[in-house]
């Protein structure tokens, strides 16, 4: 620590003229913290889409949108309606356990081979996706801890940490993708939520000098300090 001198200019009043004052203030090191805000969105960590193996009609839907399913459950049936031959209905099964999050065709809709039919996701396993600006990629690395907030004015948020960050920069946006996870698994926002990841990055100790203590000599900024000998030094 050291002591710097603050200069107070004299004030001219109607009754009297005050003398100039010199104040001494103790300066202590403080943490230099950069607050970084990154827009993020909540998505399912485990998600899978199912496409049709054949061309035909959706003849039956056993698990409508929002239904909970187990891996292997039949969600719908597709049948080839060739006028010459009779084909058996083909069951389209859920590849994972979770919830039917998307259901593209309706009953008796004609679908083509390779067309997307439905998606299943696990709502209990979520992740955060973000795009980190190029200038901040060195500050946000796997293991970095932060806070997820849906409103920046909120005092508290959910603890998060970075699980992965791409070293590749998208030339169109100047950003690199990154993934994050929630530290507490019992407090999860709904999938599709958007918010901000807030990181407070400590960059070491600095000395914050009051502006009133700064002066200039030959165009260069300087500050006067009180040395150990009791003498003022520049």
């Amino acid at each position: 620590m050291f002591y710097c001198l603050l200069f107070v200019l004299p004030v001219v009043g109607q009754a009297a003229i005050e003398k100039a004052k010199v104040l001494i203030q103790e300066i202590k090191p403080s943490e230099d913290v950069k607050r970084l805000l990154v827009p993020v969105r909540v998505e399912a960590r485990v998600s899978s889409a199912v496409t049709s193996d054949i061309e035909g009609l959706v003849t039956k839907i056993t698990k409508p949108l929002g239904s909970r399913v187990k891996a292997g459950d039949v969600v719908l049936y597709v049948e080839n309606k060739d006028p010459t031959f009779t084909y058996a209905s083909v069951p389209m099964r859920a590849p994972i356990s979770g919830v039917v999050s998307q259901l593209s065709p309706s009953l008796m809709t004609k679908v083509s081979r390779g067309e997307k039919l439905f998606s299943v996701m696990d709502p209990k396993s979520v992740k955060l996706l973000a795009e980190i600006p190029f200038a901040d990629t060195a500050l946000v690395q796997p293991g970095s801890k932060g806070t997820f907030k849906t409103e920046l004015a909120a005092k508290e948020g959910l603890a998060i940490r970075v699980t992965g960050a791409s070293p590749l920069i998208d030339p169109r946006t100047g950003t690199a993708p990154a993934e994050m996870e929630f530290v507490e698994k019992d407090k999860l926002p709904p999938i599709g939520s958007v918010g901000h990841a807030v990181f407070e990055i400590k960059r070491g100790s600095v000395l914050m000098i009051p502006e009133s203590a700064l002066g200039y000599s030959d165009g260069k900024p300087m500050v006067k300090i009180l040395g150990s000998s009791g003498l003022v030094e520049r």
Side-chain angles (χ1 to χ4, degrees):
M1 78 182 76
F2 67 87
Y3 296 86
C4 70
L5 277 61
L6 287 74
F7 300 94
V8 181
L9 297 177
V11 178
V12 179
Q14 295 180 352
I17 299 178
E18 295 185 7
K19 295 182 179 180
K21 297 179 181 178
V22 178
L23 305 179
I24 298 177
Q25 180 173 330
E26 182 181 354
I27 304 297
K28 295 182 178 180
S30 59
E31 285 289 343
D32 180 19
V33 179
K34 178 178 180 179
R35 194 166 187 257
L36 177 62
L37 303 177
V38 181
V40 293
R41 65 184 183 275
V42 182
E43 293 193 358
R45 183 179 295 278
V46 180
S47 178
S48 182
V50 174
T51 58
S52 179
D53 295 334
I54 64 171
E55 181 179 345
L57 298 178
V58 176
T59 56
K60 186 176 182 181
I61 299 177
T62 59
K63 300 291 184 180
L65 187 67
S67 300
R68 289 191 172 273
V69 295
K70 295 181 180 180
D73 285 354
V74 178
V75 176
L76 54 84
Y77 289 90
V78 177
E79 183 178 341
N80 189 327
K81 292 296 185 178
D82 190 297
T84 306
F85 301 96
T86 300
Y87 293 89
S89 296
V90 178
M92 300 297 171
R93 303 178 183 274
I96 60 173
S97 298
V99 174
V100 179
S101 56
Q102 290 182 332
L103 187 61
S104 301
S106 56
L107 194 62
M108 299 309 293
T109 298
K110 184 177 180 180
V111 295
S112 303
R113 181 189 296 270
E115 183 176 339
K116 182 179 177 181
L117 298 177
F118 61 88
S119 297
V120 179
M121 69 175 185
D122 182 359
K124 296 182 179 180
S125 177
V126 301
K127 62 182 178 181
L128 289 167
L129 295 181
E131 294 291 331
I132 309 298
F134 169 72
D136 300 317
T137 52
L139 302 177
V140 180
Q141 294 294 321
S144 299
K145 297 181 179 180
T147 305
F148 171 78
K149 294 183 178 182
T150 54
E151 297 182 3
L152 291 178
K155 294 183 178 180
E156 298 182 356
L158 300 177
I160 60 175
R161 61 171 163 257
V162 179
T163 56
S166 173
L168 302 179
I169 305 297
D170 188 335
R172 298 171 299 174
T173 62
T175 60
E179 287 190 5
M180 307 165 195
E181 66 177 2
F182 291 94
V183 176
E184 297 182 13
K185 306 302 182 182
D186 57 334
K187 297 180 180 180
L188 299 176
I191 294 174
S193 301
V194 294
H196 283 84
V198 182
F199 297 94
E200 293 187 351
I201 302 165
K202 296 181 179 180
R203 300 186 292 184
S205 297
V206 295
L207 292 173
M208 302 295 291
I209 307 298
E211 187 176 0
S212 58
L214 292 175
Y216 290 87
S217 177
D218 297 330
K220 297 181 180 180
M222 64 91 182
V223 63
K224 290 184 178 180
I225 63 174
L226 185 64
S228 58
S229 60
L231 299 178
V232 176
E233 304 172 357
R234 286 190 178 185

